[in-house]
Amino acid sequence: MKQTILGANGQIAEELVKELKLHYTNDIRLVSRNPKKVHETDELFPANLLDAEATSKAVEGSDIAYLTVGLPMNSQMWIDQFPIMMRNVIDACKKHDTKLVFFDNTYMYPKTSEPQTEETSFQPNGPKSSVRAEMANMLLEEMKNKQIEAVICRAPEFYGTGKTQSITNGMIFEKIAQHKKLIVPIKDNTRRTLIWTPDASRAMALIGNTPDAYGQTWHLPCDDQRMTYKEIIDQSSQILQRKLPYKILSMLFFKFGSLFNNQAKELLELLPRYKYDNIFVSDKFKKRFPEFKITSYQEGIKKMINPSKQ
């Protein structure tokens, strides 16, 4: 069974390739502008997903395609490119009768402390969240009309080693490795739901290879013992046996910084999430796949602090 990853080379895609090879298939195609092999048997297929014909050729012959493509944190780029990529991939999968597994995020959810389930209504507030809502709705409409066999796998913020990119990685764990003062966005006492990057990829591979999982949305599995940033930093301090100083940056600070720094400007849309507890609920997955081993925050933090022990 040929399984194709659209948007190879990122951390989610690399972990997904490893999981597919280990448990599901040796016939793996990696698609991106400049794909690189993870295993010697991987098939490389250079393609630009903004090109409908190239996307069709990349998908052709695939039983399952995983859309894991990412873009830099640039709102205009998201507006200009993500919907086109999604339309091209949907059309290609329909044309070639290929199942589609879409790796999604939670940007379009309300930025409140209310628990988030697969039934949570979208309330986008800003360009990036609006684009993500548009992409998800585009696929949901095709699924509703029975035009495609597809599944949405949705994950909250990542943390993990390797190429993993996230606010938590950048402001907490990378600063620990650099022996710099840690940065906490907005508040240090709100509960965070984070997903360990390899868990997200393993769960997506499992869902993609479970026929009755299609036609719906799944929240990927996370540890429900949600920790605050203060607790994460305290745990890291205990492991390292040294005090880890940190500073809390207010929304006002980020707003001021956005006047001079484009990265800070791009973060503004996402930061209200950090004012409230983030209760991402993955009970549906845990009930359907009770044998799946979820990485606890304690295990994940140890691996972040001591990556050689992975």
Side-chain angles (χ1 to χ4, degrees):
M1 177 183 285
K2 181 177 287 294
Q3 304 203 24
T4 294
I5 300 176
L6 305 168
N9 295 353
Q11 186 69 12
I12 289 292
E14 286 195 3
E15 295 291 342
L16 177 59
V17 177
K18 295 174 187 175
E19 184 68 11
L20 292 177
K21 172 77 170 177
L22 191 61
H23 293 294
Y24 302 104
T25 183
N26 291 317
D27 194 357
I28 300 171
R29 177 184 291 165
L30 305 182
V31 180
S32 71
R33 294 191 184 196
N34 184 29
K36 296 178 176 61
K37 287 188 176 184
V38 177
H39 311 102
E40 188 55 38
T41 55
D42 295 339
E43 175 192 353
L44 301 185
F45 196 108
N48 183 348
L49 297 182
L50 292 170
D51 182 325
E53 185 177 351
T55 304
S56 178
K57 289 179 179 177
V59 169
E60 187 175 5
S62 306
D63 296 283
I64 303 173
Y66 300 82
L67 181 56
T68 64
V69 68
L71 287 173
M73 195 62 70
N74 180 306
S75 294
Q76 194 58 52
M77 188 179 289
W78 284 36
I79 292 167
D80 293 341
Q81 297 187 17
F82 262 146
I84 295 173
M85 290 182 188
M86 176 57 96
R87 173 45 59 195
N88 287 344
V89 169
I90 289 173
D91 289 347
C93 288
K94 288 165 65 175
K95 178 180 179 180
H96 298 295
D97 197 23
T98 299
K99 292 181 178 180
L100 176 59
V101 181
F102 174 44
F103 184 70
D104 199 11
N105 67 26
T106 62
Y107 285 8
M108 73 293 286
Y109 281 163
K111 294 175 175 61
T112 68
S113 58
E114 290 298 310
Q116 302 166 352
T117 71
E118 289 85 352
E119 308 305 318
T120 295
S121 299
F122 297 168
Q123 293 184 26
N125 184 15
K128 287 183 285 294
S129 58
S130 295
V131 168
R132 296 304 301 197
E134 179 184 353
M135 294 172 72
N137 282 328
M138 196 185 300
L139 182 55
L140 286 168
E141 185 67 20
E142 298 281 354
M143 292 161 64
K144 178 183 175 183
N145 294 330
K146 308 293 185 184
Q147 296 298 306
I148 190 171
E149 191 168 3
V151 63
I152 296 175
C153 297
R154 187 165 290 137
E157 184 180 345
F158 314 137
Y159 76 117
T161 55
K163 299 178 182 177
T164 301
Q165 296 182 348
S166 69
I167 290 176
T168 299
N169 256 33
M171 296 188 178
I172 305 292
F173 293 112
E174 288 177 15
K175 291 285 191 292
I176 291 175
Q178 296 161 357
H179 290 78
K180 293 181 179 178
K181 179 176 274 192
L182 315 188
I183 297 171
V184 171
I186 317 304
K187 285 188 172 184
D188 69 350
N189 63 349
T190 55
R191 303 216 161 267
R192 317 277 10 116
T193 305
L194 305 171
I195 190 165
W196 182 245
T197 309
D199 284 4
S201 298
R202 288 192 302 117
M204 183 163 50
L206 177 57
I207 288 171
N209 286 276
T210 301
D212 66 14
Y214 282 78
Q216 52 195 306
T217 297
W218 295 85
H219 276 188
L220 298 180
C222 303
D223 181 4
D224 287 338
Q225 305 304 310
R226 301 170 181 90
M227 298 178 75
T228 65
Y229 277 133
K230 183 180 186 306
E231 290 169 341
I232 289 171
I233 293 168
D234 286 348
Q235 178 97 14
S236 301
S237 295
Q238 290 176 23
I239 294 170
L240 293 171
Q241 297 187 322
R242 62 182 171 91
K243 181 73 172 175
L244 293 171
Y246 67 92
K247 55 186 174 183
I248 302 172
L249 298 187
S250 68
M251 182 63 84
L252 189 62
F253 179 92
F254 283 104
K255 286 181 177 178
F256 181 73
S258 71
L259 300 175
F260 313 98
N261 184 294
N262 196 57
Q263 187 177 14
K265 183 179 179 181
E266 292 290 348
L267 280 178
L268 284 182
E269 178 186 344
L270 310 180
L271 290 172
R273 155 61 53 222
Y274 296 83
K275 184 178 178 181
Y276 306 98
D277 290 341
N278 179 218
I279 312 300
F280 177 88
V281 179
S282 49
D283 291 352
K284 175 180 171 180
F285 180 95
K286 291 164 185 165
K287 183 177 180 180
R288 175 62 181 80
F289 303 104
E291 302 303 315
F292 187 94
K293 173 68 171 66
I294 298 170
T295 302
S296 70
Y297 288 106
Q298 289 75 16
E299 291 169 324
I301 291 169
K302 283 181 182 177
K303 290 177 180 178
M304 292 298 294
I305 303 298
N306 300 302
S308 62
K309 295 185 179 180
Q310 289 186 78

